[in-house]
Every structure is written in C-alpha cells, then in structure tokens.
Amino acid sequence: MCIRDSIRTADNVKEALTLIDSHKFSLIISDYSMPHTGAGLDIFKAAIQSGLPKSGFIMLSGTIDNLPEEIRFVSKGDLIALETAIDETLT
C-alpha cells in the first residue's frame, strides 16, 4: 500500500539534503550522477547520518564506477529487482 502523503521528491541535491534533515525516511532512492560531482554520494552520506539504515538506500546509476559496496545497486532496466528491493525495505 502506498500513501501519497508519505512520498517526498526533490528536484536537486540541495532540496534533497534539506528533506533528509527535516524528515525521517524508511527508504531513499537517489541517482548517482547529478549536476555536481559526488552528489549521489552526498545524499547517501546525509541519509546514513540521519539514521537511515544502509539497506534503506537505493542508488540508481548507469555506471557502477566508484559506488561503495554498501549501496544497494539495481541494474539499469531491472524493474523487478527495484520493486523487490523496495518491498524488502518497507516490509
């Protein structure tokens, strides 16, 4: 079941970091490659510092270069794996 009021989105890194500072999340899905270098990892670090377990963070990326091992990775186009990862995190 998905409750729309519990979903937050951010249009940029600054907005994402502000949301992480002001809300408690069960799951964060982020892109790795964003307009500035390291942005996806900045979001990951902020999420972990906020108390989110590493298993509650999913990084989407077209590349696996330089991704830390603890980031859950879903291959491009593998929507079944993405859905499974989300279900596992939220149950």
Side-chain angles (χ1 to χ4, degrees):
M1 172 164 46
C2 179
I3 302 171
R4 187 168 180 74
D5 291 338
S6 65
I7 297 172
R8 303 283 189 259
T9 62
D11 292 328
N12 57 59
V13 175
K14 183 178 178 181
E15 190 176 328
L17 295 174
T18 299
L19 282 171
I20 290 169
D21 281 343
S22 61
H23 293 80
K24 181 168 176 55
F25 291 98
S26 301
L27 173 68
I28 294 177
I29 301 173
S30 178
D31 193 1
Y32 176 68
S33 298
M34 292 187 225
H36 75 77
T37 304
L41 294 179
D42 291 345
I43 292 172
F44 173 70
K45 290 174 189 172
I48 300 309
Q49 289 175 350
S50 77
L52 182 77
K54 291 177 183 175
S55 63
F57 192 90
I58 298 173
M59 180 78 72
L60 303 175
S61 179
T63 179
I64 58 171
D65 295 340
N66 302 318
L67 286 179
E69 283 185 29
E70 64 267 19
I71 294 177
R72 186 184 300 210
F73 181 76
V74 175
S75 297
K76 182 179 179 182
D78 192 348
L79 298 180
I80 293 171
L82 178 59
E83 183 178 340
T84 300
I86 292 169
D87 286 344
E88 288 174 358
T89 300
L90 297 178
T91 56

